[in-house]
Short mmCIF file of all heavy atoms in Angstrom, two decimals:
data_model
loop_
_atom_site.label_atom_id
_atom_site.label_comp_id
_atom_site.label_asym_id
_atom_site.label_seq_id
_atom_site.Cartn_x
_atom_site.Cartn_y
_atom_site.Cartn_z
N ALA A 298 31.42 6.61 42.56
CA ALA A 298 30.49 6.50 41.42
C ALA A 298 31.14 6.95 40.13
O ALA A 298 30.50 7.53 39.25
CB ALA A 298 29.21 7.29 41.68
N SER A 299 32.43 6.67 39.99
CA SER A 299 33.11 7.02 38.75
C SER A 299 34.10 5.93 38.37
O SER A 299 35.04 5.64 39.11
CB SER A 299 33.85 8.34 38.93
OG SER A 299 34.80 8.50 37.91
N SER A 300 33.88 5.31 37.21
CA SER A 300 34.80 4.25 36.77
C SER A 300 36.19 4.80 36.55
O SER A 300 37.18 4.12 36.81
CB SER A 300 34.35 3.64 35.45
OG SER A 300 33.03 3.29 35.45
N SER A 301 36.29 6.04 36.04
CA SER A 301 37.64 6.53 35.78
C SER A 301 38.36 6.86 37.08
O SER A 301 39.57 6.66 37.17
CB SER A 301 37.65 7.71 34.81
OG SER A 301 36.67 8.63 35.15
N ALA A 330 37.11 1.11 30.97
CA ALA A 330 36.56 2.19 31.80
C ALA A 330 35.77 3.17 30.94
O ALA A 330 34.86 3.81 31.42
CB ALA A 330 37.69 2.90 32.54
N MET A 334 30.39 -0.66 30.06
CA MET A 334 29.62 -0.26 31.25
C MET A 334 28.38 -1.14 31.37
O MET A 334 27.29 -0.76 30.94
CB MET A 334 29.19 1.19 31.11
CG MET A 334 30.34 2.10 30.90
SD MET A 334 30.12 3.55 31.88
CE MET A 334 31.65 4.36 31.59
N GLY A 336 26.87 -2.24 34.14
CA GLY A 336 25.90 -1.75 35.14
C GLY A 336 25.05 -0.65 34.54
O GLY A 336 23.82 -0.59 34.73
N THR A 337 25.69 0.23 33.79
CA THR A 337 24.99 1.33 33.14
C THR A 337 24.00 0.81 32.10
O THR A 337 22.86 1.27 32.01
CB THR A 337 26.02 2.27 32.47
OG1 THR A 337 26.84 2.81 33.50
CG2 THR A 337 25.38 3.38 31.69
N TYR A 340 21.04 -0.61 33.78
CA TYR A 340 20.24 0.48 34.34
C TYR A 340 19.38 1.12 33.26
O TYR A 340 18.20 1.42 33.47
CB TYR A 340 21.21 1.50 34.95
CG TYR A 340 20.58 2.70 35.62
CD1 TYR A 340 19.73 2.54 36.70
CD2 TYR A 340 20.88 3.99 35.21
CE1 TYR A 340 19.18 3.64 37.34
CE2 TYR A 340 20.34 5.09 35.84
CZ TYR A 340 19.48 4.91 36.90
OH TYR A 340 18.94 6.00 37.54
N THR A 375 28.59 6.42 27.29
CA THR A 375 28.47 7.08 28.61
C THR A 375 29.85 7.38 29.18
O THR A 375 30.71 6.51 29.20
CB THR A 375 27.71 6.15 29.59
OG1 THR A 375 26.48 5.78 29.01
CG2 THR A 375 27.46 6.84 30.91
N ALA A 376 30.06 8.60 29.63
CA ALA A 376 31.35 8.95 30.23
C ALA A 376 31.47 8.30 31.60
O ALA A 376 30.46 8.07 32.26
CB ALA A 376 31.46 10.46 30.37
N SER A 377 32.73 8.00 32.00
CA SER A 377 32.90 7.25 33.26
C SER A 377 32.97 8.20 34.45
O SER A 377 33.94 8.21 35.20
CB SER A 377 34.14 6.38 33.18
OG SER A 377 35.19 7.08 32.58
N ILE A 378 31.95 9.01 34.60
CA ILE A 378 31.89 9.98 35.70
C ILE A 378 30.51 9.85 36.39
O ILE A 378 29.59 9.27 35.80
CB ILE A 378 32.06 11.42 35.18
CG1 ILE A 378 31.08 11.69 34.03
CG2 ILE A 378 33.47 11.67 34.73
CD1 ILE A 378 30.98 13.14 33.67
N PRO A 379 30.37 10.41 37.59
CA PRO A 379 29.08 10.24 38.28
C PRO A 379 27.89 10.77 37.48
O PRO A 379 27.98 11.81 36.82
CB PRO A 379 29.26 11.06 39.57
CG PRO A 379 30.73 11.10 39.79
CD PRO A 379 31.36 11.10 38.44
N SER A 380 26.82 10.01 37.54
CA SER A 380 25.53 10.39 36.93
C SER A 380 25.56 10.54 35.42
O SER A 380 24.64 11.12 34.84
CB SER A 380 25.00 11.69 37.52
OG SER A 380 24.65 11.46 38.86
N ALA A 381 26.61 10.05 34.77
CA ALA A 381 26.70 10.24 33.31
C ALA A 381 25.51 9.60 32.58
O ALA A 381 25.06 10.11 31.56
CB ALA A 381 28.01 9.66 32.80
N SER A 382 24.99 8.50 33.13
CA SER A 382 23.84 7.83 32.48
C SER A 382 22.68 8.77 32.27
O SER A 382 21.94 8.66 31.29
CB SER A 382 23.30 6.71 33.36
OG SER A 382 24.20 5.71 33.51
N LEU A 383 22.50 9.68 33.22
CA LEU A 383 21.33 10.56 33.17
C LEU A 383 21.34 11.42 31.92
O LEU A 383 20.29 11.81 31.41
CB LEU A 383 21.34 11.49 34.38
CG LEU A 383 21.06 10.82 35.71
CD1 LEU A 383 21.16 11.83 36.81
CD2 LEU A 383 19.66 10.21 35.69
N ASP A 411 19.56 9.18 42.19
CA ASP A 411 20.41 8.50 41.22
C ASP A 411 21.72 8.05 41.84
O ASP A 411 22.27 7.02 41.47
CB ASP A 411 20.68 9.41 40.02
CG ASP A 411 21.51 8.70 38.98
OD1 ASP A 411 21.03 7.67 38.47
OD2 ASP A 411 22.63 9.13 38.69
N ASP A 415 23.75 4.91 41.08
CA ASP A 415 25.00 5.14 40.36
C ASP A 415 26.15 4.38 41.03
O ASP A 415 26.99 3.76 40.38
CB ASP A 415 25.29 6.65 40.34
CG ASP A 415 26.32 7.02 39.30
OD1 ASP A 415 26.73 6.13 38.53
OD2 ASP A 415 26.72 8.20 39.24
N ARG A 418 25.80 0.73 40.06
CA ARG A 418 26.09 0.37 38.67
C ARG A 418 27.55 0.60 38.33
O ARG A 418 28.15 -0.14 37.54
CB ARG A 418 25.15 1.08 37.70
CG ARG A 418 25.25 2.57 37.64
CD ARG A 418 24.25 3.16 36.66
NE ARG A 418 24.46 4.58 36.51
CZ ARG A 418 23.72 5.54 37.08
NH1 ARG A 418 22.67 5.21 37.80
NH2 ARG A 418 24.00 6.81 36.89
N THR A 419 28.18 1.61 38.98
CA THR A 419 29.61 1.85 38.72
C THR A 419 30.44 0.68 39.25
O THR A 419 31.42 0.28 38.62
CB THR A 419 30.06 3.17 39.39
OG1 THR A 419 29.18 4.21 38.97
CG2 THR A 419 31.47 3.53 39.01
N ASN A 422 30.23 -1.78 36.63
CA ASN A 422 31.01 -1.34 35.47
C ASN A 422 32.49 -1.69 35.65
O ASN A 422 33.14 -2.20 34.74
CB ASN A 422 30.91 0.19 35.29
CG ASN A 422 29.54 0.63 34.82
OD1 ASN A 422 28.75 -0.19 34.37
ND2 ASN A 422 29.26 1.92 34.91
N VAL A 423 32.99 -1.42 36.84
CA VAL A 423 34.41 -1.63 37.12
C VAL A 423 34.73 -3.13 37.20
O VAL A 423 35.71 -3.61 36.63
CB VAL A 423 34.77 -0.90 38.44
CG1 VAL A 423 36.05 -1.40 39.02
CG2 VAL A 423 34.82 0.60 38.20
N1 LIG B 515 28.91 6.67 36.98
C1 LIG B 515 29.07 5.64 35.99
C2 LIG B 515 30.53 5.30 35.84
O1 LIG B 515 31.39 6.11 36.05
C3 LIG B 515 28.47 5.99 34.67
C4 LIG B 515 26.97 6.10 34.81
O2 LIG B 515 26.47 7.16 35.17
O3 LIG B 515 26.29 5.08 34.60
O4 LIG B 515 30.86 4.20 35.51
#
Side-chain angles (χ1 to χ4, degrees):
S299 163
S300 310
S301 45
M334 303 222 175
T337 297
Y340 182 60
T375 306
S377 42
I378 52 168
S380 293
S382 295
L383 290 177
D411 182 61
D415 197 6
R418 64 181 186 258
T419 307
N422 289 346
V423 162

